[in-house]
């Protein structure tokens, strides 16, 4: 199959699934900023409601920060300069009624199981319980090993208009692929 046909097929399958924005590869805070600006501009050009744009952008940022902080695929600078990049994928799309933001990245299996436990708990909560839990966690110090404020997943669940979807696919004895989808 000619290369243009192969990539046109990929392009068409993504469009058929409602994908309006997608990135796969290594990300950093600088790339997050640039991707975020492109996403906001795309939604402005399509005259998306400002509140919807804000929610999509907020979840997008939380998900890319999770890739940056927790992906098991990382590149570190050897020059002594504090710089690193983490690998993952981020997709923003729209179905008939909702926008969606999907992220995926490789994690250690034990970290993946911790994520599964936390997300199983969040999925069982109704919106009022998630709000109360969010306020409770804001008052607590960050959890040991957290590279953020330990509230990113709660923030994603709080801003989602439907229950979040997630899953883990085991890759080998030490690693799994983690995926999270939120709807707005």
């Amino acid at each position: 199959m000619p290369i243009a046909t192969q990539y046109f097929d990929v392009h068409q399958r993504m469009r058929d699934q409602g994908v309006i924005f997608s990135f796969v590869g290594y990300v950093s805070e600088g790339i997050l900023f640039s991707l975020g600006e492109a996403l906001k501009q795309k939604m402005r050009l399509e005259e998306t409601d400002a509140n919807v744009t804000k929610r999509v952008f907020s979840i997008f940022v939380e998900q890319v920060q999770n890739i940056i902080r927790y992906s098991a695929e990382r590149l570190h600078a050897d020059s002594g300069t504090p710089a690193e990049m983490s690998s993952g994928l981020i997709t923003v799309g729209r179905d008939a009624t909702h926008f969606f933001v999907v992220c995926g990245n490789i994690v250690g299996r034990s970290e993946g199981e911790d994520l599964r436990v936390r997300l199983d708990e969040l999925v069982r909560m109704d919106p009022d319980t998630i709000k109360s839990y969010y306020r409770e966690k804001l008052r607590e110090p960050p959890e040991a090993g957290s590279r953020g404020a330990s509230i990113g997943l709660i923030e994603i669940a709080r801003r989602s208009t439907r229950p979040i979807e997630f899953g883990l696919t085991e890759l080998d004895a030490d690693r799994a692929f983690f995926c999270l989808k939120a709807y707005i």
Side-chain angles (χ1 to χ4, degrees), residues 1 52 77 81 85 92 95 101 128 154 162 175:
M1 180 183 299
V52 171
T81 305
M85 299 179 83
V92 179
D95 62 19
V101 182
D128 290 336
I154 304 168
R162 291 178 18 193
R175 303 175 313 142

Side-chain angles (χ1 to χ4, degrees), residues 69-70 118 134 136-152 154:
R69 292 175 180 155
Y70 301 108
R118 298 170 108 201
Y134 178 76
E136 175 185 323
K137 287 295 189 181
L138 282 176
R139 291 189 291 268
E140 296 177 358
E143 296 172 7
S146 173
R147 296 183 187 183
S150 303
I151 59 170
I154 304 168

Side-chain angles (χ1 to χ4, degrees), residues 94-98:
R94 187 175 192 163
D95 62 19
T97 57
H98 292 82

Side-chain angles (χ1 to χ4, degrees), residues 125-140:
M125 295 180 186
D126 63 39
D128 290 336
T129 306
I130 292 172
K131 285 180 187 173
S132 298
Y133 186 59
Y134 178 76
R135 282 189 226 112
E136 175 185 323
K137 287 295 189 181
L138 282 176
R139 291 189 291 268
E140 296 177 358

Side-chain angles (χ1 to χ4, degrees), residues 12 14 18 38 51 56 83 110 124 126 130 144 148 151 171 178-179:
Q12 283 303 111
M14 292 179 80
N51 288 328
V56 169
S110 64
R124 287 192 300 268
D126 63 39
I130 292 172
I151 59 170
L171 300 176
F178 169 72
C179 186

